[in-house]
Amino acid sequence: MTSAGVRPVETVLRDELARADRALSGLAPVLGHLLVSAGHSMVSDAVVARLRGMLNDIARQLIASLHDQLDLARDGGVDPIDYLSDILAADPVLVGYLHAVAIEALITERLEQRASIDPVLSPLWQELIASSDPQTAEIAMQALAAQSRFMQAQRRRQHPVSEMPPATFDRVLKILDTPDAAIPATSLEAARRTLKSDYDEAQSREGLLARLVTAMRGGAIAALELDHAGLALFVSVLADRAGLAREKAVLACHERQIARLALSLRAAGLDGDAIERQFLILEPSKRAPSELGALPADTARALLLQTGFDEREAAAR
């Protein structure tokens, strides 16, 4: 029983999560507007610059897959990259995914500067590479190489189409399904074939991380110590154990989404002290609710699912 005037932690977190959801729900349209029309920390200049760079890079990849020069000269000399980049920027699912990618890279870089957490080779990753299980060691090496490529690509503001999760990759293919007088139909079909033949979800960074989490089995709980695991492994295990889409696990690590982070960590099975340690690393100025450890993990998971921004969003894609 709570004393008069004191709100139960479940009620407080539900209200905070609702506010965080409202912020996320309006994010994609804002990002789309900023990207095509050239404050809020989730839409900082650094985030927008990375998004624009990644969209331009994806546009370049699509143009390379088309095999034919786009006939845009009659439209006043429109640059093909700008042309396709604007089309891509209008897709909220693609923009939402790339936003999470940019946030993950920026948080990773911030953790390296502030907490000396290596963006690629964390202590846990070293342990996994040295695992006595050959399969785990092999997957860990492949995932490590993918993480290294990810950070290099982010420094160049690039993102390979082959690194997208299936739902986002399908959105890019659908863009190529749209008839356009500037792009010959034969080129569109050839581009789709090229992109599909080069795509292998299991060998993407997120696919390899998911396979590594599975290989770790019960030992995956060790990855929920951020300074030991590094951000990439941390959010992959957090998503798996809390029942979140990985993008939402990434966004939970942002300072404007601390209620989601608190609930996610509790849903993943961490106690109050362990949750507080992760807060001290990610957001030293923030504190998890002191009563959070008493909240049942199943209740925390139910609260996350009630928001409508996790599995139901992924299923709708």
Side-chain angles (χ1 to χ4, degrees):
M1 181 176 293
T2 59
S3 59
V6 178
R7 303 170 69 206
V9 64
E10 182 178 343
T11 303
V12 172
L13 286 169
R14 182 184 286 110
D15 292 347
E16 287 294 328
L17 198 58
R19 279 191 284 271
D21 285 340
R22 286 195 292 272
L24 286 180
S25 67
L27 197 56
V30 171
L31 286 168
H33 173 73
L34 290 172
L35 287 165
V36 299
S37 62
H40 192 300
S41 60
M42 291 191 80
V43 196
S44 66
D45 290 343
V47 170
V48 173
R50 285 185 187 244
L51 278 168
R52 186 172 287 117
M54 285 188 283
L55 287 167
N56 286 344
D57 180 56
I58 293 168
R60 278 191 288 269
Q61 294 172 65
L62 295 183
I63 289 171
S65 70
L66 286 169
H67 302 298
D68 288 287
Q69 179 101 28
L70 298 186
D71 183 17
L72 298 174
R74 66 180 186 280
D75 295 326
V78 175
D79 182 84
I81 292 175
D82 290 343
Y83 174 78
L84 279 178
S85 182
D86 286 349
I87 294 174
L88 294 166
D91 188 287
V93 171
L94 175 59
V95 170
Y97 164 72
L98 293 178
H99 173 253
V101 168
I103 291 291
E104 180 177 354
L106 288 167
I107 294 176
T108 300
E109 292 170 359
R110 188 180 69 194
L111 288 172
E112 181 183 23
Q113 296 165 2
R114 191 175 66 197
S116 299
I117 297 176
D118 194 287
V120 179
L121 187 59
S122 67
L124 178 57
W125 227 315
Q126 294 180 54
E127 294 169 12
L128 291 169
I129 290 170
S131 172
S132 59
D133 176 32
Q135 183 180 23
T136 298
E138 181 181 358
I139 297 172
M141 280 295 296
Q142 292 175 342
L144 180 70
Q147 176 67 12
S148 177
R149 291 193 298 271
F150 170 76
M151 294 306 301
Q152 291 172 6
Q154 279 299 296
R155 284 191 283 271
R156 296 190 295 265
R157 297 178 182 175
Q158 297 175 347
H159 192 73
V161 172
S162 59
E163 287 292 327
M164 294 177 178
T168 311
F169 178 74
D170 288 344
R171 301 291 288 216
V172 173
L173 292 184
K174 285 180 181 178
I175 290 171
L176 290 177
D177 282 335
T178 305
D180 192 309
I183 307 174
T186 53
S187 294
L188 288 172
E189 179 57 35
R192 284 191 291 272
R193 286 199 303 270
T194 298
L195 292 170
K196 286 181 178 179
S197 66
D198 292 341
Y199 184 73
D200 183 356
E201 178 193 0
Q203 292 302 315
S204 68
R205 183 183 74 113
E206 291 190 18
L208 286 166
L209 284 168
R211 290 168 58 196
L212 185 57
V213 171
T214 299
M216 292 168 71
R217 296 185 290 277
I221 189 70
L224 293 181
E225 290 290 344
L226 179 56
D227 56 347
H228 185 58
L231 186 68
L233 271 172
F234 175 82
V235 296
S236 291
V237 172
L238 181 62
D240 180 69
R241 292 182 66 93
L244 300 174
R246 191 179 187 279
E247 292 168 36
K248 293 303 175 293
V250 169
L251 295 179
C253 297
H254 191 278
E255 61 184 286
R256 298 296 181 92
Q257 296 286 317
I258 59 171
R260 193 181 306 280
L261 176 61
L263 283 169
S264 299
L265 290 168
R266 186 68 193 110
L270 293 195
D271 61 23
D273 290 342
I275 292 171
E276 188 63 32
R277 287 198 299 273
Q278 310 323 308
F279 267 67
L280 287 172
I281 296 169
L282 276 167
E283 295 297 337
S285 63
K286 309 290 184 182
R287 289 292 180 270
S290 58
E291 307 91 341
L292 185 60
L295 186 72
D298 288 345
T299 301
R301 190 173 293 109
L303 284 170
L304 288 170
L305 292 176
Q306 286 172 13
T307 68
F309 281 97
D310 296 309
E311 277 68 23
R312 280 175 287 180
E313 181 191 55
R317 293 181 179 181

